[in-house]
Amino acid sequence: MSIFFNDQEIRELIAEEKRVISDVVDLFSMKNKKGHKESEISIPRSDGSSFKIILRQNSKDPLDFSAILAFVPTGKKQDFKLRRYNGKNHQHRNRLHKDKFYDFHIHTASEEYQRAGLKEESFAEVTDRYTNLSEAFECLSKDCNVILPEDKQLKFL
């Protein structure tokens, strides 16, 4: 059975405080995987569910990247992508809204797209708030209430 959240639940999950207590350096120690680098950290919740932050960077194209906030419900292995901050390396099309663009963009999960049988985070909007993965991660942190340890100087490796 797939995971489904309505718009109110999505907003609440995005707004919930996510305090990173693990070594944030792990997030920035990206591992090579088939043409890109990737890393992720998990932020556990008291009910056994967790949030995940996933970073991806194409090995050859600096504009091909994603910073993702996902939610993993208790007892599930599948994640639900709440937000995805993408680079400017492809044309995006909002299938239900009939618009398309080629720019940096932020995907947000929506009930509408889930009900249409599309990926939860299929809807996206253009942004000028970032131009690289590091800045996209900063936007994700601000927008999604991610609290990082104060003593960490975050630099991508």
Side-chain angles (χ1 to χ4, degrees):
M1 184 171 146
S2 64
I3 304 166
F4 182 92
F5 290 107
N6 66 39
D7 287 337
Q8 179 63 33
E9 292 168 322
I10 291 167
R11 283 190 297 274
E12 289 172 3
L13 286 168
I14 289 170
E16 181 179 323
E17 182 178 282
K18 298 150 198 79
R19 189 167 295 278
V20 177
I21 54 175
S22 63
D23 189 355
V24 182
V25 172
D26 290 346
L27 184 58
F28 300 96
S29 299
M30 301 177 90
K31 294 184 170 110
N32 287 318
K33 289 187 166 188
K34 297 184 184 176
H36 70 277
K37 296 177 185 178
E38 184 174 317
S39 64
E40 73 177 56
I41 59 169
S42 181
I43 305 167
R45 296 171 80 219
S46 60
D47 66 359
S49 63
S50 62
F51 290 100
K52 280 196 322 190
I53 297 174
I54 306 158
L55 302 178
R56 293 185 185 130
Q57 174 70 66
N58 184 290
S59 299
K60 295 179 181 171
D61 183 354
L63 296 178
D64 183 1
F65 60 82
S66 293
I68 302 165
L69 173 67
F71 180 72
V72 183
T74 305
K76 301 279 186 185
K77 292 186 181 185
Q78 177 187 1
D79 63 29
F80 183 93
K81 290 174 182 61
L82 296 164
R83 285 274 176 100
R84 182 160 41 101
Y85 296 69
N86 272 13
K88 182 180 179 177
N89 69 308
H90 64 279
Q91 179 173 287
H92 175 78
R93 180 173 153 236
N94 287 320
R95 291 175 61 185
L96 300 180
H97 295 91
K98 309 290 187 210
D99 62 331
K100 55 187 170 183
F101 48 82
Y102 188 95
D103 213 334
F104 297 98
H105 54 283
I106 301 172
H107 291 259
T108 302
S110 77
E111 184 175 347
E112 176 184 26
Y113 276 75
Q114 291 175 83
R115 289 196 188 282
L118 299 167
K119 289 182 180 179
E120 65 268 16
E121 86 287 11
S122 292
F123 176 76
E125 296 176 290
V126 171
T127 186
D128 63 359
R129 296 175 53 214
Y130 58 82
T131 59
N132 59 50
L133 180 57
S134 180
E135 292 171 356
F137 174 72
E138 287 177 28
C139 287
L140 180 151
S141 296
K142 289 176 188 170
D143 295 349
C144 302
N145 205 9
V146 175
I147 312 299
L148 300 169
E150 290 182 31
D151 63 337
K152 296 291 181 185
Q153 291 295 320
L154 303 179
K155 291 192 180 357
F156 285 85
L157 303 176

